[in-house]
Amino acid sequence: METSWHALCHEAEFPDDGKLATQLGGWSVLVVKGDDGFHAVNDRCTHQAALLSPGRVRRGAIMCPLHGARFEVGTGRCIGGAYADLRRFDVRVVDGVIEVAIPVVAPGPNERPVGAR
Ligand code: FES
């Protein structure tokens, strides 16, 4: 899928709690800072489409606040495999600015979290 790079923020501006949720190119994007760098996923649980970003991040995984599914942010993998993996977005840092590769096509209904515009 064709993507384009979108600037997120400067590394120094990244929130201290290690996660940042935003809208880029019509997508709901969750960026998490891990020990191995930044990772970005679609901010939508693959179970019932809840926003993942209010969930807690521990040991490189985010827990869905609705029913507790956990997803590795580095791979998008659903731990335990109960649900589909998350869509991942590539991340890079250019001159200190975090950039995320977002599909040029807007998300379809099955890619949007509940409550997203
Ligand atoms: S909506 Fe995320 S675990 Fe159910």
Side-chain angles (χ1 to χ4, degrees):
M1 181 178 283
E2 187 181 356
T3 60
S4 64
W5 291 100
H6 292 248
L8 181 69
C9 68
H10 197 279
E11 280 182 292
E13 299 167 340
F14 201 81
D16 291 338
D17 68 356
K19 63 180 179 177
L20 177 59
T22 189
Q23 294 276 319
L24 294 173
W27 290 80
S28 298
V29 179
L30 170 64
V31 181
V32 174
K33 183 178 184 180
D35 292 339
D36 56 346
F38 295 97
H39 302 285
V41 293
N42 194 16
D43 190 2
R44 176 193 184 275
C45 182
T46 53
H47 177 215
Q48 290 184 354
L51 272 176
L52 287 170
S53 48
R56 195 167 76 172
V57 177
R58 280 187 66 192
R59 294 194 207 108
I62 187 151
M63 178 183 288
C64 177
L66 199 52
H67 308 112
R70 295 176 66 230
F71 298 88
E72 291 179 350
V73 290
T75 62
R77 189 177 70 89
C78 180
I79 296 170
Y83 307 117
D85 296 348
L86 302 177
R87 177 189 284 275
R88 291 183 56 258
F89 306 113
D90 288 338
V91 182
R92 68 183 183 186
V93 179
V94 179
D95 295 333
V97 176
I98 302 163
E99 297 181 347
V100 185
I102 298 298
V104 296
V105 176
N110 292 337
E111 302 265 26
R112 293 194 198 109
V114 170
R117 290 171 300 246

